């Protein structure tokens, strides 16, 4: 699967929608639509069932609710009710040339996002049908330090986190840099009021929305700073 991904272009979109009371929705979307034009994908699709992956050779629009975690799995989690706020959508439509998966967290407080990232791997360790292919935990590798946010009045801060490159081997890092050169990582912030000021010069501001776009390889290799401060009305 990784060889297919690295020989294709794909994009990741991280989105944070914040409500006035500090609750909101956080999502991470992997847009693999351009994979549909990759001839190598045929072999992957024909063997997806055998590899424990969804059958992407057929059109699908699947929503996985984590409220269905078996009781035995829930007992191994320190905050089992937390995962009731998490869902995953898998969409594949060959005619429209769309293929993407989205992890969604409906958070009550911004601290839920930090907990979400820190416990993705623990969730997978419980095993069971919802951790097939360990895709959930691996999703966090694209933001390997996780994400931390703090809301102070009408100021949203994304805090710096300790990150390290996803590639320990220099040859692997060079290989990934070559094939991920066109892939992007976009972060979108939707605030409950009009944006007044952003402390990063590469921000695109439109009303109550702030957008950042980074080369994906820089995010994976922890070579870009994603922390920021956004003031809104």
């Amino acid at each position: 699967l990784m060889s297919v991904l690295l020989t294709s272009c794909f994009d990741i979109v991280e989105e944070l929608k914040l409500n006035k009371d500090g609750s909101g929705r956080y999502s991470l979307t992997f847009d693999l639509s351009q994979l549909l034009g990759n001839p190598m994908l045929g072999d992957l699709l024909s063997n997806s069932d055998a590899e424990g992956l969804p059958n992407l050779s057929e059109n699908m629009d699947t929503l996985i609710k984590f409220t269905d975690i078996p009781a035995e799995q829930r007992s191994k989690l320190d905050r089992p009710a937390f995962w009731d706020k998490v869902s995953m959508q898998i969409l594949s439509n060959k005619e429209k040339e769309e293929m993407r998966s989205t992890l969604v967290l409906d958070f009550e407080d911004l601290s839920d996002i930090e907990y979400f990232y820190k416990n993705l791997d623990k969730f997978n360790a419980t095993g069971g049908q919802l951790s097939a292919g360990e895709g959930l935990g691996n999703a966090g590798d694209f933001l390997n330090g996780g994400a931390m946010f703090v809301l102070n009045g009408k100021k949203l801060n994304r805090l710096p986190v300790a990150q390290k490159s996803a590639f320990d081997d220099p040859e692997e890092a060079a290989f990934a840099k070559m094939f991920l050169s066109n892939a992007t990582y976009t972060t979108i912030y939707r605030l409950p009021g009009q944006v007044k000021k952003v402390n990063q010069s590469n921000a695109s501001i439109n009303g109550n929305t702030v957008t950042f776009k980074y080369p994906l390889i820089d995010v994976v290799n922890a070579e870009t700073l994603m922390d920021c401060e956004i003031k809104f009305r």
Side-chain angles (χ1 to χ4, degrees), residues 5-224:
L5 292 177
L6 291 178
T7 53
S8 305
C9 182
F10 68 102
D11 301 296
I12 296 177
V13 178
E14 177 191 32
E15 186 168 350
L16 172 64
K17 182 179 180 181
L18 185 65
N19 300 324
K20 289 183 179 181
D21 63 358
S23 66
R25 170 167 288 196
Y26 178 84
S27 65
L28 196 65
T29 298
F30 296 79
D31 190 342
L32 310 176
S33 299
Q34 295 190 49
L35 284 174
L36 293 176
N38 189 313
M40 294 178 63
L41 186 62
D43 291 337
L44 175 64
L45 295 180
S46 62
N47 294 295
S48 59
D49 289 341
E51 297 297 328
L53 300 170
N55 185 2
L56 299 179
S57 61
E58 299 178 358
N59 291 346
M60 64 183 301
D61 188 353
T62 301
L63 180 65
I64 299 175
K65 289 282 192 177
F66 287 29
T67 52
D68 297 330
I69 300 173
E72 183 179 354
Q73 287 182 251
R74 293 179 72 91
S75 65
K76 299 177 183 178
L77 301 168
D78 61 341
R79 289 176 58 186
F82 174 86
W83 299 100
D84 295 346
K85 301 181 288 186
V86 181
S87 62
M88 175 188 287
Q89 181 186 35
I90 303 174
L91 173 68
S92 178
N93 189 306
K94 292 185 292 183
E95 289 73 23
K96 295 182 179 181
E97 296 187 345
E98 295 179 346
M99 182 186 295
R100 60 181 179 270
S101 63
T102 303
L103 276 167
V104 177
L105 167 65
D106 290 310
F107 61 85
E108 298 176 7
D109 183 88
L110 285 167
S111 61
D112 285 347
I113 300 174
E114 180 184 4
Y115 180 87
F116 174 71
Y117 273 106
K118 286 186 175 180
N119 290 275
L120 281 175
D121 57 343
K122 295 179 182 178
F123 176 80
N124 262 7
T126 63
Q129 58 182 351
L130 294 180
S131 59
E134 295 188 349
L136 177 60
N138 291 344
D141 291 344
F142 288 95
L143 198 59
N144 54 62
M148 295 174 60
F149 301 92
V150 173
L151 181 64
N152 184 8
K154 294 188 176 182
K155 182 174 67 175
L156 174 68
N157 284 93
R158 181 177 192 140
L159 305 180
V161 294
Q163 292 182 272
K164 64 177 182 178
S165 172
F167 302 98
D168 296 326
D169 189 317
E171 292 186 5
E172 289 182 357
F175 181 78
K177 188 171 185 177
M178 178 173 60
F179 286 107
L180 291 177
S181 59
N182 295 321
T184 60
Y185 191 106
T186 301
T187 297
I188 303 171
Y189 299 93
R190 302 190 189 279
L191 289 307
Q194 186 173 0
V195 175
K196 294 172 54 179
K197 184 179 180 180
V198 182
N199 70 338
Q200 292 279 18
S201 60
N202 62 328
S204 174
I205 303 172
N206 183 12
N208 68 334
T209 303
V210 180
T211 303
F212 295 92
K213 182 172 285 189
Y214 313 93
L216 176 59
I217 187 62
D218 289 349
V219 176
V220 173
N221 283 332
E223 295 177 354
T224 187

